[in-house]
Amino acid sequence: MSFTPHGKHLIAGQWSAGDNHFTSEPAHGPAHQFSVGTPADVDAAVQAAEEAFWSFGYSSREGRATFLNTIADEIEARADAITEIGTQETGLPEARLQGERGRTTGQLRLFASHILAGDYLDRRHDVALPERAPLPRPDLKMIQRPIGPVAVFGASNFPLAFSTAGGDTAAALAAGCPVVVKGHSAHPGTGEIIAEAIHAAIQTCNIHPGVFSLIQGGNRAVGAALVQHPLIKAVGFTGSLAGGRALFDLCAQRPEPIPFFGELGSVNPMFVLPAAAAARGAEIGTGWAGSLTMGAGQFCTNPGIAVILKDQADAFVAATTTALGAVGAQTMLTDGIAAAYRDGQARIASCEGVQEVLSNSHAQRNASPFLYQTTADTWLANEGLGEEVFGPLGLVVVAEDLDQMRAVARSLQGQLTCTLFMDEADTAVAQSLLPILERKAGRILTNGYPTGVEVSDTMVHGGPYPASTNFGATSVGTLAIRRFLRPVCYQNLPDSLLPEAF
């Protein structure tokens, strides 16, 4: 089935058009016009979300689970049309979009099962001790409760799994929080068809229409209006460091500051330890090249940095270079992302002490891999080398000895992931690095590449700043639901007044 976008916002169950429009810039296929959002659209959507909260926020877990599963059903019913518009807008291959759609519906269904189990509520009970001396203890019960309307900003690099019905939206709805999504202008048609699926689920489940709204396009004033609206209680964001930090600051400056759960940037360093490098350095380098260029390097877990000892670097670098040389140009998500990649590559290339190992040409919306090498001394003297370049660019950092490798680890900013490539003989070295890396990253891997993120109970997709703005949270996995809950203690309340979950 084919899909032609109508270009409207979905606000409280109504499709509405604005006076101004923007034209999409697909990688291929037809362009379409979409309405530009306004602060007035934001206010209408948020007011409706607040009204919806009085019913949805106090709905049963069974009802919300049915709603999440119905959204997944409606997305699958539009599978072919989603793939068609998604590939046109982003340039991503069909297989990637199909896999991402499966991840999107899978996490909706996982969250539905998770809330039915009830563990996320963290229910606690201290029974009354009326005879306790010197003071009696009242009956105390604690449970997690939804916080209210949540704002979600769609991500450019995951048009399904991190956007309209992605992890932030699914987690908020699972918690009982209505959602207002600011769609990403890189894939507005994909956002629209997913919004249609959510709208159909709302109607099927007879839920208040204010539980979900999608506002397309708009300038920075729209994003600012959304995070500053007094009825918004939290924000989910995946994007650039500059854009995320600006929104984070606005959240903090509100009369009522609210949490900003932003994922902003990570270089995801790999440490290739001596025994592993000696036994299979070339193999690790070849694998790194595949991970580095997957999806044109447009993954938040793209491993852009590899750290290795000087006397073991040659074989690793040679194998990486050969593997990268076989990778052709790939289409990036937007012209702006491609331009930013070119700027980042030029910045790295211009750094004193950085050696170019593999160069390529790239123009317009295409990206080709680049590989650079530098010393640990140069890395430690130049903080800019640790800034993310979003695309298929790798930097090998060569350390003189293990002490210098540990110094590189200590110099890192916050990361989503850090990886140890090790053999059994590397255990002592790994033990010395692990306490450092635990302070730097939300996920630590051994002998694997971080570009695959499992949606599960144990996954942590977050880390210290600037990887994310809240190191105690994750945007992937069932723990993501806890971002949109807060604990409430009930003292001596009769059972008739307690939440249904008790």
Side-chain angles (χ1 to χ4, degrees), residues 84 120 165 260 275-276 429:
E84 180 185 44
Y120 78 105
F260 179 85
V429 180

Side-chain angles (χ1 to χ4, degrees), residues 33-51:
Q33 282 202 327
F34 295 86
S35 293
V36 174
T38 66
D41 293 325
V42 169
D43 183 61
V46 177
Q47 294 285 355
E50 173 68 11
E51 184 60 32

Side-chain angles (χ1 to χ4, degrees), residues 67-89:
F67 180 40
L68 293 170
N69 283 319
T70 304
I71 295 173
D73 292 341
E74 292 290 349
I75 289 173
E76 291 295 355
R78 295 161 174 78
D80 292 342
I82 291 169
T83 300
E84 180 185 44
I85 188 70
T87 55
Q88 288 176 356
E89 290 187 324

